[in-house]
Amino acid sequence: MDIKLKKSKPFAAWLCFFLAVSIMIGLLISVFSVFWHSGGNWEALKAPFIDYKNSTVFKQRTADYYGQLFSLVADPSSQDTDSMEITKSVLDNEGANLKYYGVNKNNNFLVQNITPEPSSLSDSGKTPALPSGYSYCWYFDGEKLRVIDHGKEIDMQRLDSGYQRIFHGYIYDLTPKYLSNVRVVLAVKDNLVKNPYAHSKYYGEQQFLAIMGWIYIGLLVLGLLLLVLAIINRPSKREFDRKLASWSNRMWLEVKILLALLVLVFFGVFGFNYYPGWGAPVAQVLGVTFISCILIACFWWFYLMLIDLIVNGKNFFTPNSINSLLTWYRKYEKRYTWQKSMLKRAYMLVGVEAVLALISVIFVLTGSSGGTLLLALLIAGAGIYLIYRYLKRYDETLSDLGKLMDHIGLIKNGDMETHLEVAEDADIYPAVQNLNSIQEGMGTAVTEKMKSERMKIVLITNVSHDLKTPLTSIISYVDLLNKEEGLPEHVNDYIRILTQKSEHLKNLIQDLFDLSKASSNNLALDMEKIDLARLVKQTLADMEEPITASGLTFRINIPDEPVYIISDGKKLYRVLENLIMNTLKYSLSGSRVFVDLTVDSKEVTATIKNTANYEMTFDEDEILQRFVRGDKSRSSEGSGLGLSIAQTFTEVCGGKFFIKIDGDLFKVELRFETESEN
Amino acid sequence: MEKQRVLVVDDDREIVNAIAINLQNEGYEVLKAYDGLQALDIISTQNIQLIILDVMMPKLDGLSATLKIREEKNIPIIILSAKSEDTDKILGLSMGADDYVTKPFNTMELMARVKSQLRRYLRLGDVNVTNRANLLQSGGLCFDLESHTLTVDGEPVRLTATETKIMELLMRFPGRIFPAEEIYERVWEEPAYKVENTVMVHIRRIREKIEINPKEPKYLKVVWGIGYKIEKI
């Protein structure tokens, strides 16, 4: 969750920034457009925040209604039934919000929705008496148009009256003499109400402006809030900027420029040429929103280009079509010859086939004559031939690859002699050459290895012979000395030591020889099916004398039925003999030695456990190191190779050898796969 | 009685000398050679009763020399070799040698083997005369079915009644491997149950009586994990 938040933080910060700026631009554009279209009148901007009756919008609308009414009353040429109906229906849409009365005494034309007629209309210069609840009115008294609000006349000539640009001069197109008999009153209800029968524009506008005011304020607050958030999280925002830059830097420069131009064109066409006019307010808002969106999109596009330029610097210009083409070509150049030639063949096939297709299309389009059919056939033939050539070459390469695979398999299986032959112009010729030399190298290495193995055997045999020959002399002459009589006692002591040590040396050499033969896999094995249970019993019986002499108690747990394994009995006897000799040598006197044989479905495990008569300060691996002896003092006889030989012999005889030390408990395990009885 | 003559062949003079001293102490006359060709020379010109022959020698090695000697003569040959593998022993014996001793050897053991081989060689005539159907033989081992006695290279061996029965059984089928249970059932004539130890004890005792080196038996062998057998020689 934390990580997710952390990851999304730059985006969130950037989104704040984006929304804040977009909202600000949108607000700015709408303010500007309202200002612009209201002819530079700041009053229009105030509309949502002041009483609707005082707003320019209201005055404008009233002027519009009044103008229509006045034209109808004053101009006899428009006093046919249709015009009267249209004007009346426009005014009646307002329902109770509008009361009007118009009279032209020149031709006795009367239009009204007030009854009875306001009594005071005949005298010029007097304020007409209005029905209660209607204290705002426009009134033409035959000389002058007045606007009366709550009984007071408004001076419409003043700049701050709000009527400066609203009053239309067409009222005075008619001669004053004629107009002196015209009276027109239009009164607006104090509390505007909804007309249940038609759409009241007054009421609608009042509601709309009220909502718009709140929306504008809300957006402004939201925008500022987001802007503050974005400013607080500047570093995160910049991080996302960089991300955007790296994304935009993948675009070709041409695309960037083209899009920038498109954006500019859009901006020019819609931003400057769009004039919403004075239709319904909703349509105006939609228009403004549309322009805003375009302008905002323009802004962000250039913003993106800007951060791209700032972050990537010179690299802003690098990703372009020419560079891409160059890169692609360089990559192509770097390929191996065979890759190039395969690619080239594929490109050429596609290219030539395309040209042939084009030619045939042209021929078909330019109409047919006698020769065209022949030509078409020729072209088709050439195309098919090309495909055939290509496929043939492809097939050759595939079969060469197959040969290569086979050859690799051959080398894996140890064939170092056969070399792979392919045509010199084959695609994979260099690879084949390399493989052949690898094979040669490996062949040499294998031969060397075998030679050195043979050398090792010869060496072991020779060293063994060379050690044994002088030792034979030593033992023989020591033996002769032993037979001498009348020697001083101390000389006899020396001779005894010589006898002991030469015997020790003999055992050591024999063990060493056996071990080196076994571990270099030069031991002659005689593997056959033997009964491991019997072998353990035989060994224990064979060693009965030393076992009895040791005073140790042997607890033997071996199944009565045979346990068959495939192994070399004589070698395994040596293993067991070594292990038991070990326990006899290193067991705590009077303790028990456990010899177990356990069989499960696949494996038989022979275990020998004894309690050491010294502290075992080594671990399982150390004790198996050659020449390490249990007590480390090396005072006793033996080569110190016993366990090593046991391990090596067990392993060459197909078993596994484990040692476990747990306190004073020393445990050896031999594991073998069991063989069925047959 | 005329002194028996033994030829000792080894390229190591000190070894030859040591063996010679021991043989002389035992009352034999000793001839010495230091390579195979020299040995063949002496054999063809002198009357010799036994040869102790090293394997790894210059000019002509011991095994080739053995083959050459066997072309004409039947005198006992004891091979002396630093090679101790079973395969080497089997090779030597199959070339016609009578015994195989590995270096470094025990002097007493070598002397015993010399004595044993000579006894057998010199009494060979007697054995041939007394060769009857009721005589079981394997190398120097000879079991008389009539008198139920065993001789090793002509020397009688004192066996207990059970040991005699075991030897008779094994000698009847030289080379065949008998599991302990079978030996027990046929010798003790009782059902066998946990008899490995009992049989092994007897085998070990017999080995001590008939083998020169019981640790490396020549005749009575344990086949580990299978049973026991008399080597067919």
Side-chain angles (χ1 to χ4, degrees), chain B:
Chain B
M1 179 180 142
E2 197 193 334
K3 272 193 179 176
Q4 284 154 6
R5 300 167 71 143
V6 178
L7 173 63
V8 182
V9 193
D10 197 318
D11 57 337
D12 191 303
R13 282 165 191 267
E14 282 71 33
I15 292 177
V16 173
N17 281 335
I19 295 169
I21 293 166
N22 277 303
L23 285 172
Q24 279 156 3
N25 286 346
E26 296 285 328
Y28 301 105
E29 193 182 329
V30 179
L31 292 138
K32 300 169 187 174
Y34 304 108
D35 63 62
L37 290 179
Q38 226 177 335
L40 288 182
D41 259 3
I42 293 170
I43 291 163
S44 61
T45 54
Q46 309 262 352
N47 181 23
I48 288 164
Q49 278 76 45
L50 186 136
I51 305 166
I52 298 175
L53 193 60
D54 182 31
V55 174
M56 279 156 104
M57 283 189 302
K59 290 183 188 170
L60 186 70
D61 72 85
L63 293 179
S64 313
T66 307
L67 277 178
K68 283 255 184 227
I69 296 163
R70 276 286 171 265
E71 280 171 13
E72 294 167 12
K73 307 225 171 188
N74 201 18
I75 43 175
I77 299 172
I78 298 177
I79 293 240
L80 207 55
S81 170
K83 292 183 177 177
S84 56
E85 289 282 312
D86 282 351
T87 45
D88 299 317
K89 284 181 194 170
I90 291 162
L91 185 68
L93 295 177
S94 66
M95 290 282 185
D98 297 86
D99 212 340
Y100 193 98
V101 177
T102 53
K103 285 181 184 178
F105 52 84
N106 181 299
T107 315
M108 298 241 289
E109 189 189 330
L110 181 65
M111 290 307 125
R113 287 186 191 274
V114 168
K115 229 179 271 174
S116 161
Q117 287 299 331
L118 274 174
R119 204 163 52 223
R120 216 174 110 201
Y121 175 64
L122 295 172
R123 292 191 184 173
L124 207 60
D126 305 347
V127 172
N128 281 342
V129 174
T130 56
N131 193 6
R132 295 184 302 244
N134 53 4
L135 219 53
L136 302 173
Q137 241 185 311
S138 177
L141 279 185
C142 188
F143 192 89
D144 190 330
L145 287 171
E146 263 178 25
S147 61
H148 293 282
T149 51
L150 180 74
T151 54
V152 180
D153 301 322
E155 284 285 283
V157 181
R158 291 171 63 94
L159 297 175
T160 64
T162 315
E163 287 165 4
T164 312
K165 276 188 185 169
I166 294 173
M167 281 311 283
E168 187 183 336
L169 174 65
L170 296 183
M171 290 282 289
R172 273 184 195 275
F173 308 98
R176 198 195 129 175
I177 305 165
F178 288 86
E181 290 77 17
E182 193 180 345
I183 294 175
Y184 191 85
E185 274 163 11
R186 290 174 78 156
V187 171
W188 277 264
E189 291 172 354
E190 275 172 35
Y193 181 69
K194 298 205 174 185
V195 294
E196 199 72 60
N197 240 355
T198 319
V199 174
M200 181 59 105
V201 168
H202 285 89
I203 295 285
R204 223 167 46 224
R205 283 198 197 127
I206 298 169
R207 258 200 324 218
E208 269 155 28
K209 288 175 184 174
I210 66 167
E211 299 283 356
I212 290 165
N213 182 358
K215 280 187 181 156
E216 280 181 52
K218 186 177 172 188
Y219 301 114
L220 181 50
K221 289 189 171 170
V222 181
V223 185
W224 300 100
I226 302 174
Y228 308 88
K229 68 166 181 183
I230 284 286
E231 195 72 64
K232 187 176 187 176
I233 300 170

